[in-house]
């Protein structure tokens, strides 16, 4: 059953408690938990930035560009060759499949037209 509360909220009646009332109760509980968490964090006190970062005796130097490291792998040419072989194998398989379909279409074509050409009704047209 749907009802309209005094506040103008629409909700369903589930055992006498409206859906909006349940939602509002859950919202209020979440707000209470969040406030308790914030108060617990605030009670520990702020951490100063000076205590967190060590003091530097030297002035800050300009950042040097990072050196590029070349990784040479023995497996890299093998991987490229195996990928190439895999691609070639798949292309060959695809071509064979297409040729098989083409042969099946041609066989069907010849079968149908050999039947139609062999009938008496088509003899006059030939």
């Amino acid at each position: 059953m749907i009802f309209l509360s005094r506040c103008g909220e629409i909700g369903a009646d589930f055992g006498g408690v409206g859906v909006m009332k349940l939602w509002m109760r859950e919202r209020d509980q979440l707000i209470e938990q969040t406030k308790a968490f914030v108060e617990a964090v605030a009670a520990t006190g702020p951490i100063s930035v000076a205590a967190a970062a060590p003091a530097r005796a030297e002035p800050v130097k300009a950042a040097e560009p990072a050196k590029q490291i070349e990784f040479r792998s023995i497996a890299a040419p093998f991987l490229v060759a195996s990928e190439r072989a895999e691609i070639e194998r798949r292309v060959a398989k695809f071509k064979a499949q297409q040729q098989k379909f083409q042969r099946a279409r041609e066989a069907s074509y010849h079968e149908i037209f050999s039947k139609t050409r062999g009938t008496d009704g088509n003899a006059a047209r030939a």
Side-chain angles (χ1 to χ4, degrees):
M1 174 167 79
I2 297 178
F3 69 93
L4 183 61
S5 71
R6 291 181 192 158
C7 298
E9 298 171 340
I10 297 176
D13 189 10
F14 293 109
V17 179
V19 173
M20 291 301 290
K21 299 287 183 185
L22 290 173
W23 175 82
M24 289 169 42
R25 185 180 312 142
E26 289 176 2
R27 179 200 61 194
D28 292 341
Q29 289 173 351
L30 180 62
I31 291 171
E32 298 273 332
Q33 291 173 353
T34 305
K35 284 181 181 179
F37 175 73
V38 169
E39 290 172 1
V41 170
T44 60
I47 300 173
S48 66
V49 177
R56 295 184 180 206
E58 303 173 7
V60 178
K61 296 180 182 178
E64 296 178 13
K67 296 178 183 177
Q68 288 188 344
I69 301 172
E70 292 184 31
F71 294 103
R72 296 182 186 198
S73 175
I74 297 172
F78 175 73
L79 290 176
V80 172
S82 68
E83 288 176 4
R84 184 178 205 81
E86 177 68 16
I87 292 169
E88 289 174 352
R89 184 187 65 79
R90 287 185 181 192
V91 168
K93 185 177 178 182
F94 178 78
K95 283 183 180 179
Q97 184 86 3
Q98 293 301 313
Q99 289 173 352
K100 178 179 146 186
F101 290 148
Q102 182 66 27
R103 287 190 299 270
R105 281 192 296 271
E106 288 174 1
S108 175
Y109 171 83
H110 289 300
E111 179 184 347
I112 290 171
F113 278 101
S114 66
K115 288 180 184 178
T116 56
R117 288 184 185 137
T119 61
D120 291 332
N122 289 332
R125 293 183 191 168

